Amino acid sequence: MCFKNLPVEFDSEGKPYLRDDVPDPYATSHSPELNGSSVATLSRDQIEDLLVRNGHIQQKNFDPVTRVAGALAFHSVVDLEERKVLESRSVATLFRGYEIIMMGRDPRDAIYITSRACGVCGGTHSGTAALATEMAIGIKPPPLGIVTRNMLSVLEYLLDLPLHLFMLAGPDFSENVIRKTNPEVWELATRTEAPHAGVHGYATMGELMTDMNALSGSLYLEALGMTRVAKEAYALIGGKFPHPQTMVPGGVSATVNLSTMNEIYLRLQQFFDYAKKTAAIYDDICDFFYDANPRYRDVGRTPANLVDLGVWDDPYAYDATYENCNEWGEKRWATPGVIVDGQLVTTKLQNINLGMEEFIDHSFYEGWEGQTFKTDPLGAPLSPHHPWNKETKPRPQAPNWREKYTWSTSPRWDRMPMDAECTARMWTTAAAQLLPDNPYIEPTGHSLKLLLPKGRLPEMELEWRIPDVWNAFERNRGRAYCVAYTALVGLNTWHQGMQLMKEGKTEISVEYKVPKGQRLGVGFWGAGRGYVSHHMMLDDGVVTNYQIITPSTINASPRDPWGTPGMYEIAALNTPILENSPEGRFQGIDIQRSIRAFDPCMPCTTHVHTDEGIVTREVNTCACGADD
């Protein structure tokens, strides 16, 4: 059974239907079953009473949370005596309104307008908009067009992953941070041998941490260089980065020839050795912290509930139709899927789509009336809270922890908070074992085996294993292995492109017309960070509704109608305070580490707040153009 909370069941042929024995089936009056993964929270009255009566209970707010891509603030209340977090609130501080901008426009505008939703993942939004448009107007790209878009996605991810691992989250494990917040851990690091010294070259953990220092560390600078390598390759097809000029419905408008493919390969192959080194570094970091203090396993700990739409289409299976989305989705290089309590419950794109709802009870929006679509194009039941039924109605107001406090909505799958980030695509692919035959990547049911070709380092097989605890450290470890996974998908994709050109199948896009009538489309895709969907509604060739869900919308979500926190908030609530800073200099590094492990991507901005007790810095928190 796929759903536990939604009133949707499946007949003997696997077709979903709405139960007829549930009055008002999508009402929010009953609390969902959370599979034992709920987290204890205090009421606002209880929090305020504790703050008044106890000096060791303090507010600790981060506004902005630095070293994330965009405008994120985080409110917390900590008990410095019990060393735990009592309250957490994730606040997206900026509204830009791309969903509203799209209203009344030609659907082809979506590729270029929604690209601006992010300065790192612009290509992802362009590609997802192209997928949604193709479904809505009924066209499919030729095989080389699909392969080329897959390659663009690979290259964008190979930019994003080093950015996170060594420039955004990486400094949380650097000498400068550890020496300040946990001097006893730094002292241990200086005399602990690094197990993978033969791969990454650092004799001790202290040496490795020194090179993790922001701005000055060689690992930071090397990552900056690798982002440039990926950008150079991306621009060969996309025309520029981060907002490609060549993405179109029905393929790509670039010229791709043997010279283009060779130039891309020269850059792609640089990531094979880099992937070996990156995985070795993060294996050593994670295992060192677990050995230093087993309680680090609880930093950023959340239920193992993950969702991903899969990416990288099969050039012959993908036909852009909703009717066949389950079939072409399961043939992707990353398998779509939902993990609940560590177990894979579906790999069907239709089921993932049916299970998604958005709530605005604690967000700066007004609700909407009615239900435009009671079913999806295949006749399966849709919730009135589904993105195809949602309306974006902003209502700015001052934050109020009892009521509305963020611009993020609360997306839920089967009414459960989910984790939407890049390790999810490895988890679902490993568990499903549906990967196309290839010589480099093998899913085993409990792991992914990754065979990296010889470079300066010898040929090496890595194995990412599904973790037994899901926390901040495993999110970072998963991203490190995702460099290898992504590079090997890129290698497979490159071979596919070369074979197509060898066979003379060089068509890269198709002509089309936008049809009349009411049409629905959805782009199922993902960013380097994870899950991305665009839901499009057309009427006589004009956009009448457009809804975007990003990984950070899901992860940064506020409490839902049942009071269940989103994943950032859950991660912080489960995090023990292990910091050992001098009295009066509490940094909140454990809380920050738990949040940054998700690779938050909020709209790029500068946000300053001056209330007492708030960490205030005037910064540009987006590193989109850091190497320009």
Side-chain angles (χ1 to χ4, degrees), residues 588-609:
I589 184 59
D590 301 300
I591 298 171
Q592 295 184 67
R593 195 176 277 141
S594 72
I595 300 166
R596 276 194 282 262
F598 288 90
D599 194 9
C601 186
M602 324 302 286
C604 302
T605 188
T606 300
H607 184 78
V608 179
H609 195 38

Side-chain angles (χ1 to χ4, degrees), residues 59-64 608-617:
Q59 293 191 61
K60 187 64 176 181
N61 298 333
F62 308 92
D63 193 350
V608 179
H609 195 38
T610 57
D611 285 358
E612 182 179 354
I614 291 183
V615 179
T616 306
R617 305 179 181 95

Side-chain angles (χ1 to χ4, degrees), residues 39-55:
V39 61
T41 59
L42 299 176
S43 71
R44 189 60 196 169
D45 287 338
Q46 290 173 311
I47 291 292
E48 291 179 355
D49 182 59
L50 289 171
L51 285 167
V52 169
R53 293 191 294 108
N54 299 277

Side-chain angles (χ1 to χ4, degrees), residues 367-387:
W368 57 93
E369 300 294 331
Q371 183 176 357
T372 306
F373 301 101
K374 295 185 182 298
T375 66
D376 72 358
L378 295 177
L382 285 180
S383 165
H385 310 288
H386 187 273

Side-chain angles (χ1 to χ4, degrees), residues 1-10 17-19 21-38 305 338 340 345 354-357 359 383 385 412-418 560 562 564:
M1 181 175 178
C2 183
F3 301 114
K4 291 192 175 185
N5 298 306
L6 291 178
V8 177
E9 293 188 354
F10 297 83
Y17 65 91
L18 187 67
R19 290 173 54 185
D21 60 341
V22 181
D24 198 2
Y26 289 103
T28 59
S29 53
H30 298 291
S31 296
E33 178 186 338
L34 298 179
N35 300 290
S37 61
S38 60
N305 293 350
V338 177
V340 175
V345 298
L354 295 179
M356 191 60 67
E357 299 175 289
F359 300 99
S383 165
H385 310 288
R412 297 290 185 265
W413 189 85
D414 196 21
R415 307 209 156 176
M416 294 181 288
M418 305 301 291
D560 58 26
W562 308 280
T564 307

Side-chain angles (χ1 to χ4, degrees), residues 390-461:
K390 180 197 169 198
E391 297 177 34
T392 302
K393 303 171 106 175
R395 186 187 175 191
Q397 56 196 279
N400 182 326
W401 304 133
R402 297 176 189 273
E403 298 174 4
K404 297 177 180 286
Y405 58 88
T406 179
W407 282 110
S408 180
T409 61
S410 297
R412 297 290 185 265
W413 189 85
D414 196 21
R415 307 209 156 176
M416 294 181 288
M418 305 301 291
D419 188 329
E421 50 90 70
C422 74
T423 308
R425 67 176 57 115
M426 292 204 302
W427 197 316
T428 55
T429 303
Q433 296 182 268
L434 295 174
L435 202 66
D437 288 338
N438 74 101
Y440 307 113
I441 310 169
E442 178 190 354
T444 69
H446 57 84
S447 69
L448 273 183
K449 292 183 177 180
L450 307 163
L451 182 63
L452 289 157
K454 178 182 178 181
R456 293 186 306 275
L457 293 170
E459 179 182 273
M460 187 178 299
E461 183 178 85

